[in-house]
Amino acid sequence: MTAVSAYVPCFNNAVSVVQALSSLQTQIGHVVELYLVDDASSDSSLDLARQMQIPVVALEQNMGRGAVRAVAIDLAKNDFVLSCDATNKLPVDFLQQALSWFDDPQVAAVFGRIWDERELTLADRWRGRHLFRVKEPMAVRHGALLSTYGCVIRRSAVLEVGNFDRSLRHSEDADLGRRLLAAGFDVVFDPSLLVVSGVSNSLGQVLERYWRWYAGPE
């Protein structure tokens, strides 16, 4: 069995963090280590994780996404690391399917397609159509730009290129993906790996998310 570390990055995600953690706990086999890295939340996120008896690493001040993910990679005891954002959840077979890509030693990361299963509000419907693009057919892509909302990465490759950039408050995944590709590794997008959004967003949150996904680190 391939041993896998798994983590959830968190910042004030009390509404959804339990379902994210639960979805990692229920992955078929492989996950031997699970922890939450918290970016100085002020809500009950930490309490909820601790009630689940999940180990918590709490940053003393808010540092941003790059720092949280870099800490998570530093902590991992295994070469394969599964992550799921605190606002999402993974189907039970996500990890089992994703690991098959790593038979190729050049594959450094595999990520899935984000999906919205409810679309309760106008903002959710706009998000599904324009951000998640749930109506569009998608194919496997090699040399893809990394997204970490639900992914498996090879820790040794990530450390080889310098880990996540701790200074980046967003776009840390795309930055890492570019460095992995430049170093000769492959990053795979597999749309059969679904990452299910577990929260609704307001219109303002959707627009901020759209900007963050496409604006880049600058």
Side-chain angles (χ1 to χ4, degrees):
M1 183 185 77
T2 303
V4 175
S5 298
Y7 76 93
V8 169
C10 181
F11 175 62
N12 289 341
N13 297 121
V15 170
S16 55
V17 68
V18 169
Q19 67 178 3
L21 289 166
S22 296
S23 77
L24 296 187
Q25 287 180 318
T26 57
Q27 291 301 300
I28 299 173
H30 303 295
V31 173
V32 298
E33 178 186 33
L34 173 59
Y35 48 95
L36 179 135
V37 182
D38 183 76
D39 199 12
S41 290
S42 58
D43 66 0
S44 61
S45 296
L46 293 179
D47 293 335
L48 291 169
R50 289 174 175 138
Q51 288 169 18
M52 297 176 68
Q53 299 184 325
I54 303 295
V56 169
V57 178
L59 303 187
E60 292 183 358
Q61 63 184 45
N62 184 268
M63 301 294 293
R65 297 167 188 271
V68 169
R69 294 195 189 279
V71 168
I73 295 301
D74 288 340
L75 289 170
K77 295 181 174 67
N78 301 286
D79 197 35
F80 294 108
V81 183
L82 169 67
S83 69
C84 175
D85 281 359
T87 54
N88 300 330
K89 56 185 177 181
L90 302 181
V92 67
D93 59 348
F94 181 96
L95 177 59
Q96 186 177 52
Q97 292 186 44
L99 284 174
S100 64
W101 285 103
F102 292 94
D103 292 341
D104 180 350
Q106 291 306 113
V107 171
V110 175
F111 66 100
R113 177 178 188 174
I114 193 161
W115 195 258
D116 200 336
E117 62 183 7
R118 46 187 183 174
E119 295 189 344
L120 298 177
T121 68
L122 176 61
D124 287 341
R125 292 193 291 275
W126 193 96
R127 180 183 68 177
R129 175 174 295 184
H130 299 287
L131 189 61
F132 297 169
R133 298 187 293 167
V134 297
K135 303 296 185 182
E136 296 183 24
M138 295 185 180
V140 168
R141 293 199 313 271
H142 291 266
L145 202 58
L146 178 62
S147 292
T148 47
Y149 44 66
C151 73
V152 181
I153 61 178
R154 195 188 300 267
R155 181 177 185 268
S156 55
V158 171
L159 293 178
E160 184 175 325
V161 301
N163 206 342
F164 287 94
D165 187 336
R166 297 169 193 264
S167 71
L168 295 179
R169 300 194 69 85
H170 63 84
S171 303
E172 76 293 340
D173 45 4
D175 170 77
L176 175 64
R178 291 187 186 96
R179 287 185 279 123
L180 288 169
L181 296 176
F185 292 105
D186 191 13
V187 176
V188 179
F189 166 68
D190 182 351
S192 72
L193 299 172
L194 295 184
V195 181
V196 181
S197 177
V199 297
S200 290
N201 290 140
S202 67
L203 180 58
Q205 289 170 329
V206 170
L207 294 175
E208 185 274 338
R209 195 171 186 178
Y210 188 92
W211 165 80
R212 177 161 42 82
W213 280 24
Y214 293 111
E218 301 302 325

